[in-house]
Amino acid sequence: MKNAYERFVRPLLFSIDPETAHRLTIETLRAASRVDLALRFLKPFQPAPKPKQLFGLSFPNPIGLAAGLDKNGVALPAWAALGFGFAELGTVTAHAQPGNPKPRIFRLTEQDALINRLGFNNDGADVIAQRLRKLRQSGRWPQMPIGINIGKSMKTSVADAIEDYVYSFHRLREFADYIVLNISSPNTPGLRELQGSAPLAELLSAIGEKNLITRKPVLVKIAPDLTPGELDQIVATCEANTVAGIIATNTTLDHSSIPTARDEQGGLSGGPLREKSTALIRAIATRSTITVVASGGIVDPDSALEKIDAGAQLIQLYTGLIYRGPGLVREIVAALK
């Protein structure tokens, strides 16, 4: 049975260009984040508490906002008011950048899916750090863990990528409850090369040196398109560098489920990613005790429970939220054991 969002709000949003709809939604939540009455209006969406303790953090519930929806961290109070147990902003890069040319988001409504080739469009680490400082000073900082997802700037070569990550980490760490190293977006050329054991070990070592005082939990976000051998290397490298968790997964380059006439270049998310993401989560859980955060193909309570049964400790929503609306958080929490 369709909820009110699916009956009334989604048809309006889906009647306009996907990126325009996204911008309209974020700006609305940004405005709501500045008004106490508006935040109280959102609170009926909040689920019953389902607390979770992981890597030294207390989560009100295990359902979070995935990186990509609020790239610039402009609506954090609204996400908390909607009942999320945590939120991850970003991906943030050292340099502000516009991302790839438009159009760059495409809906596949029959499959509850999206293709995007945004390319880390964001305001840059300096501006976002200033924004988060103002939010903290305003007294509206949300009472839930905030993750910050960082990546390589488009203009930075893969050879110089570590410098980019370290700069963003340095500028943003004071505002983050945890930091995510995004090494798996398919929309930044060369980025996935950092998933190799040697480049990843070098990156984690550099971040680790800067993390000796703050001791922030560091997570790594990986692609769903890894071979078993590549996954083994990543897990081993993460364990050797005391990574707090692995986010599985980013969007996929496997478009075999998409009709040729509807296909576009970019990362595929939503329903078609469900099985691939679950399989990778299960593979990690059988190899390691490292915490796994599920992201990809979660569009209803059943797909969320599937991820938990496979070994995930936390759930992140992106495409499912676009198709099902904010009530999906409460539905999934209610279904948890």
Side-chain angles (χ1 to χ4, degrees), residues 252-267:
T252 182
L253 288 173
D254 178 4
H255 291 199
S256 58
S257 62
I258 306 303
T260 303
R262 301 290 310 281
D263 201 8
E264 293 283 348
Q265 181 181 352

Side-chain angles (χ1 to χ4, degrees), residues 116-194:
N116 93 80
R117 51 174 181 257
L118 287 162
F120 290 168
N121 53 310
N122 74 104
D123 293 337
D126 292 335
V127 169
I128 292 172
Q130 184 179 23
R131 177 177 295 127
L132 295 178
R133 182 171 286 108
K134 288 181 179 178
L135 176 62
R136 181 169 283 170
Q137 292 170 348
S138 74
R140 296 184 187 278
W141 193 267
Q143 298 300 305
M144 64 177 182
I146 299 298
I148 302 182
N149 184 303
I150 60 177
K152 182 186 81 66
S153 303
M154 193 80 73
K155 70 179 183 180
T156 302
S157 69
V158 175
D160 296 324
I162 289 177
E163 183 179 344
D164 246 33
Y165 283 92
V166 168
Y167 182 84
S168 295
F169 179 84
H170 174 73
R171 294 291 286 121
L172 296 165
R173 61 187 172 184
E174 67 179 287
F175 308 107
D177 292 296
Y178 69 89
I179 292 281
V180 179
L181 307 180
N182 187 344
I183 56 173
S184 55
S185 170
N187 299 317
T188 295
L191 187 72
R192 288 189 171 188
E193 293 177 25
L194 297 175

Side-chain angles (χ1 to χ4, degrees), residues 10-268:
R10 191 176 76 182
L12 292 174
L13 291 175
F14 278 31
S15 69
I16 58 179
D17 167 76
E19 190 160 355
T20 302
H22 177 263
R23 186 171 62 251
L24 176 63
T25 300
I26 291 297
E27 287 304 318
T28 300
L29 293 174
R30 181 179 194 166
S33 293
R34 298 169 175 167
V35 180
D36 289 340
L37 181 61
L39 293 175
R40 286 197 294 270
F41 178 78
L42 296 177
K43 287 190 175 180
F45 286 102
Q46 293 189 358
K50 201 81 172 183
K52 187 98 174 177
Q53 303 286 325
L54 283 170
F55 35 83
L57 300 177
S58 299
F59 297 83
N61 67 67
I63 314 304
L65 181 77
L69 270 167
D70 191 357
K71 291 177 179 291
N72 294 308
V74 299
L76 297 182
W79 300 120
L82 286 168
F84 283 93
F86 63 107
E88 188 173 307
L89 64 89
T91 296
V92 183
T93 54
H95 304 282
Q97 56 186 34
N100 291 318
K102 300 178 182 179
R104 52 193 183 179
I105 307 177
F106 307 90
R107 301 185 189 101
L108 301 163
T109 53
E110 301 86 356
Q111 295 166 287
D112 289 345
L114 296 173
I115 295 174
N116 93 80
R117 51 174 181 257
L118 287 162
F120 290 168
N121 53 310
N122 74 104
D123 293 337
D126 292 335
V127 169
I128 292 172
Q130 184 179 23
R131 177 177 295 127
L132 295 178
R133 182 171 286 108
K134 288 181 179 178
L135 176 62
R136 181 169 283 170
Q137 292 170 348
S138 74
R140 296 184 187 278
W141 193 267
Q143 298 300 305
M144 64 177 182
I146 299 298
I148 302 182
N149 184 303
I150 60 177
K152 182 186 81 66
S153 303
M154 193 80 73
K155 70 179 183 180
T156 302
S157 69
V158 175
D160 296 324
I162 289 177
E163 183 179 344
D164 246 33
Y165 283 92
V166 168
Y167 182 84
S168 295
F169 179 84
H170 174 73
R171 294 291 286 121
L172 296 165
R173 61 187 172 184
E174 67 179 287
F175 308 107
D177 292 296
Y178 69 89
I179 292 281
V180 179
L181 307 180
N182 187 344
I183 56 173
S184 55
S185 170
N187 299 317
T188 295
L191 187 72
R192 288 189 171 188
E193 293 177 25
L194 297 175
Q195 293 180 123
S197 57
L200 179 56
E202 189 177 358
L203 173 60
L204 290 172
S205 176
I207 294 293
E209 289 180 11
K210 297 296 182 181
N211 198 27
L212 291 174
I213 297 175
T214 52
R215 299 286 184 182
K216 298 290 183 178
V218 174
L219 287 74
V220 173
K221 188 166 186 176
I222 64 173
D225 307 313
L226 299 166
T227 67
E230 290 170 335
L231 180 61
D232 283 341
Q233 290 182 350
I234 288 174
V235 172
T237 304
C238 287
E239 289 178 329
N241 288 272
T242 62
V243 166
I246 294 175
I247 300 182
T249 63
N250 217 312
T251 56
T252 182
L253 288 173
D254 178 4
H255 291 199
S256 58
S257 62
I258 306 303
T260 303
R262 301 290 310 281
D263 201 8
E264 293 283 348
Q265 181 181 352
L268 174 65

Side-chain angles (χ1 to χ4, degrees), residues 283-306:
I284 297 169
T286 59
R287 289 164 166 78
S288 174
T289 58
I290 197 167
T291 297
V292 182
V293 181
S295 179
I298 304 164
V299 297
D300 54 28
D302 286 344
S303 51
L305 294 176
E306 177 182 283

